[in-house]
Amino acid sequence: MNQIIGTSVSRKDGRAKVTGTATYGAEHQLPDLVHGYLITAKIANGRILNIDTQAIERSPGVMAVFTHENMPRVFTPTNDWANSQIYETRLPLADDRVHYGGQIIGLVVADTLERARDAAHSAAIEYQEEPVLVTAENATYEDSPPWFGEDFQFQEGTFETGDFAVAAADAPTTLEATYNTETELNSPMEPHALVAHWQGNDSVTVYEPTQWVRVSQGTYAELFGLPTERVRVVSPYVGGAFGAKAFPWPHGILCVAAARELQRPLKVVVSRRQMTANTGHRSQTEQTVRLAANTDGQLIALEHTARTCTSPVEVFSEPCTAVTPVMYATPNLRLGQELAVLNVGTPTFMRAPGEAPGMFALESAMDELAWELGLDPVELRLRNETQEHQRRGGVFSTKNFAACLSTGAEQFGWSQRQMQPRSQQQGDRLVGWGMAAATFPGYRGAAMAKVRLLPDETAHVLTSANDMGTGAYTMVAMTAAENLGLPVEQVRVEIGDSIMPDGGLAGGSQMTATLAPAVMNACQAVLETANAENAQQAFASLQESGRAAYEATGSAAPGEEGTEFTFQSWGAHFCEVTVDEDIARLQITRWVSVMDIGRVLNAKTAASQIRGGVIMGIGSALMEECHFDPASGHPVVYDLATYHVPAHADIPRIEVTFVGEPDLNFNPMGVRGAGEIGIMGVAPAVANAVYHATGKRIRSLPIIPDKII
Ligand code: MOS
């Protein structure tokens, strides 16, 4: 057995990405390709009275224009999350209604991008405007419906054990605070874009980045009334997604529909400005946390309520209270979630959806309680550990949260912290140290992979899974190499195509836990087929027999892990900030993250995943916000210059350490996931450090200079 699992292996796809040979969705070159450009609404609520399509059609190079008056027929998909799903259940160009600023109201197709864009921008459109509501404070909230039901283990909505009010009334220490987070945009490097290529009217190839190849395929099949196998989805590379590229959006449906009408390959690229309205975002949140504790810091009662917003055309609530029941033990727990409808685009998943802003509220409140009690915040967390999920039930399969805290504290030098705000200085800057906990559920789905052993002594792994920057190519290659007894260089991985076996979903941090066991089973199956102990023996028997290949498919699915357990990853972040109060300059100068994610498959890419999460969390802590103009209803940010994400200069070296053990109750590889836990707890760690530095408790994100001056 060569020991590849757990080592550091550089990305299999790294060279292709940095040399520009990796082909993304809209980069597929096809003969006779034509270009579509979206027409988007200039009002945020009302009706379209008229679009002068004749004038658009007279524009140079224009071949067609699609509006609600000539939208080609598409069918309503089942939307069952398992076989088909669209993000916004109102179909594109369904009627003359405008529900939010920037909504797609048409598509111009021309021979060049420039001509399509020019015609789309010059379109004369008459509207009937209605009053716009984009201000959450003026919205009417109602109880949130549950997320997707039991299957996905997410639960939200009202929940109560014990009696919060009675318990809190008698407690020696209580705390109540309200926290706000702003609308955030997923902002993947690769914009949303696709090429649709029909072969006649009865089969289509869609080149589109997606986190879930099989469900994209199934969804387009239902939308266009085709058998599943007549739709091919090609997605070998995904340039970031963070939750916003799992299902078709309206622009994708419109592109595929228009391409069928025109019988030409059609490309639609969503501009950065158009992405602010039409490809999802993380809703703003308002959350209240009430804590009651006895004098030694044990929680007697905990209440966490959240308000989030959705669009008029989709119900999507941020499950901010989802992870609260796993964090701290309390006999009296109350959770509540409410949702309001605003004239904004449809929100969706964004890396740890709900959980990340939820953790900002919970972990800020825990820090506030620690100060109130005069307790070290690390110690407060240790005193309140829970060994089971207080909502779902089930003991944690493995939990090394205490080790995350102690290892992080040790590495950071936490014991040197002065237990007083404004007590540490470096020159004329205040220095603050903060920490917060991290957690994320372990999810797992079903997947398949095919393995081929070839006479040139290579192994090929084929699966429809995808790599959105997570390291999936490398993880698959390492798993196969380990199980076949081959060097990783002799494994070729092909992913991201619906003609290959279903590789599952890259979402909810579940691709590794889903796919690695399937790859392992496929490797064992191919060795059995070859009657060999390892790949070398199989290659020798290929030579002898003159066979072209050994091939086998393997699959893995949840179900074997037992119902008594709850699967959860754990972590802790420790950080240092410096604050120059004269110019309100806040810098993050040190960062230590310690994570328990089960078995670490690739030490290098797993640490990079955590770093990516921390960086994204620092973005939400310090800069990311999308406001809507209350008059026009439109987002006031529209590109990566107006919507700030961290640059290199904003980020210190991020030390990442893994602790814990393989979670063999979860799957035979013992892996959970690393995609989302990195962002969990980052924003509160920063806010807690800002308090330690300045004595200012900032309860609203992002912590822009105005808030610390
Ligand atoms: Mo993730 S937000 O489940 O892609």
Side-chain angles (χ1 to χ4, degrees):
M1 199 68 157
N2 51 357
Q3 292 185 339
I4 294 167
I5 298 297
T7 62
S8 283
V9 175
S10 294
R11 282 169 190 274
K12 290 285 267 186
D13 50 330
R15 181 174 293 271
K17 283 185 167 175
V18 298
T19 55
T21 57
T23 310
Y24 291 84
E27 294 177 336
H28 285 90
Q29 303 298 328
L30 296 172
D32 297 326
L33 181 82
V34 290
H35 300 264
Y37 200 87
L38 301 166
I39 307 175
T40 54
K42 293 207 165 59
I43 63 165
N45 192 25
R47 272 172 206 290
I48 301 159
L49 298 178
N50 186 47
I51 302 183
D52 187 351
T53 52
Q54 286 176 355
I56 299 169
E57 280 160 0
R58 285 195 301 271
S59 277
V62 169
M63 304 167 66
V65 53
F66 296 91
T67 69
H68 63 279
E69 286 181 335
N70 66 341
M71 174 64 196
R73 169 97 197 266
V74 291
F75 298 94
T76 301
T78 322
N79 290 321
D80 61 1
W81 294 97
N83 299 295
S84 80
Q85 188 66 42
I86 51 180
Y87 275 117
E88 185 171 293
T89 47
R90 176 185 184 266
L91 292 167
L93 315 186
D95 52 37
D96 61 356
R97 289 281 330 179
V98 174
H99 298 278
Y100 51 85
Q103 177 190 309
I104 296 167
I105 56 169
L107 178 77
V108 180
V109 179
D111 56 351
T112 69
L113 168 67
E114 292 75 11
R115 286 170 140 183
R117 184 174 57 200
D118 181 57
H121 280 157
S122 56
I125 304 165
E126 287 169 46
Y127 300 98
Q128 179 193 314
E129 275 193 81
E130 290 167 31
V132 170
L133 177 65
V134 291
T135 314
E137 300 89 80
N138 299 337
T140 308
Y141 287 86
E142 289 179 20
D143 279 344
S144 289
W147 247 32
F148 340 73
E150 302 296 306
D151 285 3
F152 284 77
Q153 303 172 35
F154 291 106
Q155 288 173 330
E156 60 168 23
T158 306
F159 173 79
E160 183 153 11
T161 49
D163 189 328
F164 177 87
V166 169
D170 291 339
T173 304
T174 58
L175 183 139
E176 172 175 347
T178 296
Y179 303 89
N180 290 89
T181 65
E182 293 291 353
T183 303
E184 294 173 20
L185 305 176
N186 296 54
S187 311
M189 222 190 308
E190 176 203 24
H192 288 255
L194 73 157
V195 174
H197 183 202
W198 283 84
Q199 294 82 43
N201 271 312
D202 58 5
S203 88
V204 64
T205 304
V206 181
Y207 301 91
E208 183 177 30
T210 175
Q211 297 173 239
W212 205 352
V213 168
R214 184 183 57 79
V215 168
S216 281
Q217 177 193 31
T219 308
Y220 282 120
E222 286 192 2
L223 284 161
F224 293 95
L226 297 173
T228 310
E229 62 276 10
R230 296 282 181 81
V231 176
R232 181 175 174 192
V233 171
V234 179
S235 177
Y237 296 98
V238 181
F242 313 111
K245 290 178 182 163
F247 308 119
W249 283 107
H251 72 270
I253 302 167
L254 188 47
C255 174
V256 179
R260 183 178 58 183
E261 295 303 301
L262 297 168
Q263 288 293 307
R264 293 281 291 268
L266 173 64
K267 180 192 291 196
V268 170
V269 177
V270 186
S271 73
R272 284 280 163 198
R273 181 187 284 260
Q274 291 168 346
M275 280 171 67
T276 59
N278 294 296
T279 58
H281 62 265
R282 194 199 296 283
S283 168
Q284 58 189 311
T285 76
E286 180 181 299
Q287 303 172 62
T288 299
V289 178
R290 292 203 285 163
L291 301 176
N294 66 21
T295 44
D296 57 10
Q298 232 133 29
L299 285 175
I300 297 166
L302 192 172
E303 182 189 66
H304 185 179
T305 59
R307 292 179 141 190
T308 75
C309 305
T310 190
S311 78
V313 288
E314 186 59 63
V315 176
F316 183 93
S317 83
E318 287 280 314
C320 293
T321 60
V323 294
T324 307
V326 309
M327 282 311 303
Y328 303 113
T330 179
N332 301 288
L333 175 66
R334 218 186 140 258
L335 307 172
Q337 286 256 169
E338 292 180 324
L339 186 65
V341 174
L342 298 182
N343 295 116
V344 300
T346 295
T348 194
F349 318 101
M350 180 171 161
R351 203 175 203 159
E355 294 108 339
M359 251 345 221
F360 170 63
L362 181 63
E363 289 296 284
S364 293
M366 286 296 280
D367 197 71
E368 296 197 45
L369 181 65
W371 285 103
E372 183 95 21
L373 294 162
L375 252 185
D376 183 331
V378 173
E379 180 57 31
L380 177 65
R381 283 162 176 83
L382 286 170
R383 285 188 194 176
N384 287 288
E385 266 206 271
T386 167
Q387 293 311 320
E388 59 165 12
H389 193 304
Q390 297 173 94
R391 184 164 191 169
R392 291 185 53 225
V395 294
F396 299 120
S397 169
T398 72
K399 180 175 183 184
N400 296 280
F401 178 49
C404 295
L405 291 168
S406 59
T407 306
E410 172 72 27
Q411 284 184 7
F412 190 83
W414 184 254
S415 62
Q416 304 302 308
R417 191 179 80 137
Q418 303 294 313
M419 283 276 279
Q420 211 181 325
R422 304 185 69 87
S423 58
Q424 292 181 201
Q425 272 193 305
Q426 235 171 51
D428 50 9
R429 290 176 188 200
L430 294 164
V431 176
W433 292 0
M435 61 79 53
T439 189
F440 197 80
Y443 297 117
R444 185 187 171 196
M448 292 194 285
K450 183 188 283 185
V451 176
R452 280 192 191 133
L453 299 177
L454 299 174
D456 67 356
E457 305 211 334
T458 61
H460 286 198
V461 188
L462 299 101
T463 172
S464 79
N466 67 81
D467 191 327
M468 54 170 161
T470 53
Y473 275 103
T474 321
M475 170 278 286
V476 168
M478 291 172 75
T479 304
E482 179 88 42
N483 285 286
L484 294 169
L486 267 185
V488 115
E489 298 72 31
Q490 277 167 255
V491 181
R492 198 171 105 194
V493 179
E494 285 181 55
I495 62 176
D497 191 325
S498 61
I499 62 173
M500 301 193 287
D502 172 18
L505 159 70
S509 304
Q510 68 175 275
M511 177 134 279
T512 301
T514 297
L515 186 57
V519 172
M520 183 183 90
N521 289 342
C523 291
Q524 284 164 0
V526 81
L527 291 178
E528 267 169 44
T529 306
N531 199 17
E533 303 226 321
N534 56 41
Q536 297 309 330
Q537 284 181 12
F539 293 141
S541 93
L542 275 181
Q543 293 287 337
E544 275 165 36
S545 64
R547 278 178 70 139
Y550 289 117
E551 179 179 299
T553 300
S555 62
E560 62 211 14
E561 60 270 15
T563 50
E564 70 267 40
F565 295 116
T566 284
F567 303 98
Q568 195 81 22
S569 285
W570 305 97
H573 300 288
F574 292 80
C575 72
E576 178 185 86
V577 302
T578 63
V579 178
D580 182 340
E581 284 191 310
D582 292 340
I583 56 168
R585 181 177 190 178
L586 167 57
Q587 283 184 296
I588 296 171
T589 45
R590 283 206 294 142
W591 199 282
V592 169
S593 300
V594 182
M595 295 284 151
D596 163 21
I597 58 166
R599 171 175 278 145
V600 174
L601 241 151
N602 183 344
K604 185 175 188 176
T605 53
S608 295
Q609 276 282 69
I610 301 304
R611 291 194 180 99
V614 171
I615 293 166
M616 205 162 169
I618 289 173
S620 77
L622 298 186
M623 54 196 86
E624 295 187 41
E625 55 181 334
C626 171
H627 290 283
F628 297 88
D629 177 346
S632 74
H634 282 258
V636 300
V637 299
Y638 45 87
D639 57 18
L640 291 174
T642 48
Y643 183 82
H644 293 171
V645 297
H648 281 87
D650 298 309
I651 304 298
R653 178 167 178 81
I654 298 165
E655 303 290 348
V656 178
T657 303
F658 294 104
V659 297
E661 67 217 277
D663 193 345
L664 294 167
N665 296 318
F666 190 39
N667 59 61
M669 299 286 294
V671 295
R672 288 196 296 261
E676 285 163 295
I677 191 169
I679 195 173
M680 294 291 285
V682 171
V686 173
N688 297 343
V690 169
Y691 178 77
H692 185 230
T694 65
K696 283 196 184 107
R697 176 58 64 178
I698 297 172
R699 300 191 182 93
S700 72
L701 296 183
I703 306 171
I704 52 172
D706 315 40
K707 296 179 188 172
I708 46 175
I709 204 149

